[in-house]
Amino acid sequence: MLLSQTGSYAMRAAIHLAERAEEDGAEPVRVGEIAESIGVPRNYLSKVLNQLVRAGVLSSERGPRGGFALAMPADEISMARIVESVETPLLDRRCLLGRPECTDADPCAAHPHWQALADRITSFLEETTLADLRRTGGKR
Amino acid sequence: MLLSQTGSYAMRAAIHLAERAEEDGAEPVRVGEIAESIGVPRNYLSKVLNQLVRAGVLSSERGPRGGFALAMPADEISMARIVESVETPLLDRRCLLGRPECTDADPCAAHPHWQALADRITSFLEETTLADLRRTGGKR
DNA sequence: TGAGTTTATCATATGAATATGCTAAATCCA
DNA sequence: TGGATTTAGCATATTCATATGATAAACTCA
């Protein structure tokens, strides 16, 4: 699996916020609505959203009329930015085999074979934005 | 990370066996040597190797002169086969976002963007064999 | 102001992956 | 045969991601 469970939650929540932003502009969305909509544990999601706030991806307001919203336009938020906010490291590009000491000088056996694909994966995560992932038309 | 820790251990152990097979033919290699060579916990590796034996990727012999060896030529053992032997599932191609109900009829937001890349990752794992990963020349 | 609502934070629980240690079974060889 | 060696298998420990629950802090609005 490319994304952790937490990374998946973060992505789905962000996509939901991108969709809601299209409908209601900058109106904050409450945790309860997001959790129910994407079907994940409410309290845990709350913690994940808070990480996104601290990473500057989301903004939040407390109290009535409070909730979460994207901190910037959807087309400026990449998958990489979201995933990096909640899980570390995003992708071990250095070494597919997980060797801590894998360097160019002493590369692992998979090194040359892995590089090209790792580059594509990284590009995918960096170049795909919430705007790309937002549902257009079709059912919810 | 694309591979789990256990998947990484399995790959590195298999690569080591492929290299040793070139040197000594079908001579079994003991857990101790493999663990020390790739720098992983010996007892845990023992369990991982046993999984590979039960999956038919490795063969094993007990007693003095015993140990582990590839059950077939290195160019017939794909990364996919090894990783699938120790972790499930290899890669959730269905849904990048981890939604359990993600189908063609009701796809997740990332579905079309994810498919092409997932295909490439799958191909990489299926088409790269131990023979490709074996070190040729260079230092150990 | 003060009651109600919502996020923020903390403390803890659960579960799965990872790791360790011991015993059993198989094999070799003197 | 019997002791030594090595994998197989089991039982348990540890660690970390995931999850839950309760309280604190911030905000709204009557």
Side-chain angles (χ1 to χ4, degrees):
Chain A
M1 187 95 99
L2 197 58
L3 264 48
S4 69
Q5 185 87 312
T6 301
S8 167
Y9 291 173
M11 280 303 309
R12 285 150 69 189
I15 291 169
H16 181 79
L17 288 175
E19 292 166 355
R20 292 287 268 96
E22 278 200 345
E23 301 165 11
D24 292 347
E27 281 296 295
V29 182
R30 293 184 292 272
V31 174
E33 175 188 320
I34 305 173
E36 192 172 352
S37 169
I38 66 180
V40 308
R42 175 202 172 104
N43 283 350
Y44 188 66
L45 181 63
S46 175
K47 196 176 128 183
V48 174
L49 292 178
N50 182 253
Q51 291 180 266
L52 290 171
V53 169
R54 278 184 287 190
V57 176
L58 301 185
S59 62
S60 64
E61 289 291 337
R62 295 202 247 203
R65 323 272 323 145
F68 297 88
L70 300 184
M72 61 199 72
D75 63 3
E76 294 178 15
I77 303 177
S78 68
M79 290 189 64
R81 176 112 190 247
I82 293 171
V83 176
E84 278 166 355
S85 300
V86 298
E87 65 184 42
T88 57
L90 170 57
L91 181 67
D92 193 344
R93 287 191 65 262
R94 272 205 339 260
C95 184
L96 171 63
L97 302 183
R99 294 199 329 162
E101 357 70 59
C102 187
T103 64
D104 284 338
D106 179 24
C108 75
H111 213 71
H113 303 268
W114 169 237
Q115 282 306 309
L117 182 58
D119 285 344
R120 286 189 75 97
I121 296 175
T122 300
S123 305
F124 171 77
L125 294 171
E126 284 175 353
E127 289 166 16
T128 303
T129 71
L130 287 182
D132 299 319
L133 296 177
R134 184 197 52 207
R135 282 164 198 278
T136 56
K139 58 174 174 299
R140 151 71 29 83
Chain B
M1 186 97 101
L2 196 59
L3 264 48
S4 69
Q5 185 87 311
T6 301
S8 166
Y9 291 173
M11 281 302 310
R12 286 150 69 190
I15 291 169
H16 181 79
L17 287 176
E19 292 166 354
R20 291 287 269 93
E22 278 200 344
E23 301 165 10
D24 293 345
E27 281 297 295
V29 181
R30 292 185 293 272
V31 175
E33 173 187 321
I34 305 173
E36 193 172 350
S37 169
I38 67 179
V40 309
R42 174 201 171 105
N43 283 349
Y44 189 66
L45 182 63
S46 175
K47 197 176 124 181
V48 173
L49 293 178
N50 183 253
Q51 290 180 268
L52 290 171
V53 169
R54 278 182 288 189
V57 176
L58 300 185
S59 62
S60 65
E61 289 292 336
R62 295 201 247 203
R65 322 272 325 145
F68 297 88
L70 300 184
M72 61 199 73
D75 63 3
E76 293 178 17
I77 303 179
S78 67
M79 290 190 64
R81 175 112 191 244
I82 293 170
V83 176
E84 279 167 354
S85 300
V86 297
E87 63 185 42
T88 58
L90 171 57
L91 181 67
D92 192 345
R93 287 190 65 265
R94 271 207 337 261
C95 184
L96 172 61
L97 303 183
R99 296 197 328 161
E101 355 70 60
C102 188
T103 63
D104 284 339
D106 179 23
C108 76
H111 212 72
H113 304 267
W114 169 238
Q115 283 305 310
L117 183 59
D119 285 344
R120 286 188 75 98
I121 297 175
T122 300
S123 303
F124 172 77
L125 294 171
E126 285 176 351
E127 290 165 15
T128 304
T129 71
L130 287 182
D132 298 319
L133 297 177
R134 184 196 52 206
R135 282 166 199 277
T136 55
K139 60 174 176 299
R140 152 69 33 85

